[in-house]
Amino acid sequence: MDTASIQRQIRIQRSAYEDMQRLAGTVSLQATFNLAYSLSRSDVREDIKEALQLFTELRRRDPSDITFIYYLAETNFKLQEFQHARKLCLEVLRVEPNHRQTLQLQREIERTLEREGKLGMAIIGGVAVVAAATVAWLARK
């Protein structure tokens, strides 16, 4: 879905959420989920953070619903909170070991962490080489 479509969907879901809040004084799990889901599809970091808050609220309201836990994990992943996303994936898999989306997300988390680890090691190795070259150069003077 393109950015304009996502933002249009967010406006629609936010309007429904706010109307329900204003008219009923409370918002259903479904309306909260719809807004959170729409926000989580955005590329705008503030939208994703708001989605995280809403998914957290949904989980608090219904802690046994693994759908909320999965989307909380996915949103943490998008915010690069990899360790927390990994922990949430394990919670889902304890309840439903073959949850396809969670297994896929877990693999993506592991690949990302592995890539970041290799990048970190390459940076450390590069710094060590530069430091050694500097020491050798200074020793010759």
Side-chain angles (χ1 to χ4, degrees):
M1 199 181 281
D2 64 51
T3 301
S5 298
I6 291 169
Q7 291 304 314
R8 190 171 30 260
Q9 191 64 34
I10 289 171
R11 283 191 302 277
I12 291 167
Q13 296 305 329
R14 187 180 305 285
S15 178
Y17 179 93
E18 289 171 352
D19 287 348
M20 186 176 286
Q21 194 171 42
R22 186 173 33 78
L23 296 171
T26 186
V27 182
S28 69
L29 290 174
Q30 188 62 54
T32 304
F33 177 82
N34 291 346
L35 177 56
Y37 181 82
S38 296
L39 288 162
S40 74
R41 297 299 162 235
S42 174
D43 290 331
V44 178
R45 188 166 177 79
E46 292 308 311
D47 289 345
I48 299 169
K49 285 181 177 181
E50 185 178 354
L52 182 70
Q53 291 172 339
L54 291 170
F55 284 129
T56 300
E57 175 190 332
L58 287 165
R59 183 175 186 207
R60 183 186 50 74
R61 289 171 62 186
D62 187 356
S64 65
D65 191 325
I66 64 169
T67 301
F68 300 154
I69 301 170
Y70 167 77
Y71 283 107
L72 191 54
E74 184 181 79
T75 306
N76 271 279
F77 176 76
K78 285 183 172 190
L79 292 170
Q80 299 182 343
E81 295 291 337
F82 303 122
Q83 296 302 332
H84 195 228
R86 178 195 269 173
K87 179 178 161 246
L88 291 163
C89 284
L90 292 174
E91 285 185 44
V92 172
L93 295 172
R94 270 189 230 112
V95 175
E96 194 174 318
N98 296 318
H99 192 271
R100 186 183 56 77
Q101 287 175 293
T102 303
L103 290 168
Q104 199 171 356
L105 178 58
Q106 189 177 43
R107 281 191 296 277
E108 186 61 29
I109 292 167
E110 297 308 322
R111 277 194 295 269
T112 301
L113 289 173
E114 183 179 317
R115 250 190 332 266
E116 284 192 354
K118 286 179 182 175
L119 178 61
M121 292 305 290
I123 290 170
I124 290 170
V127 169
V129 167
V130 169
T134 302
V135 168
W137 181 74
L138 290 172
R140 281 192 261 177
K141 283 193 159 199

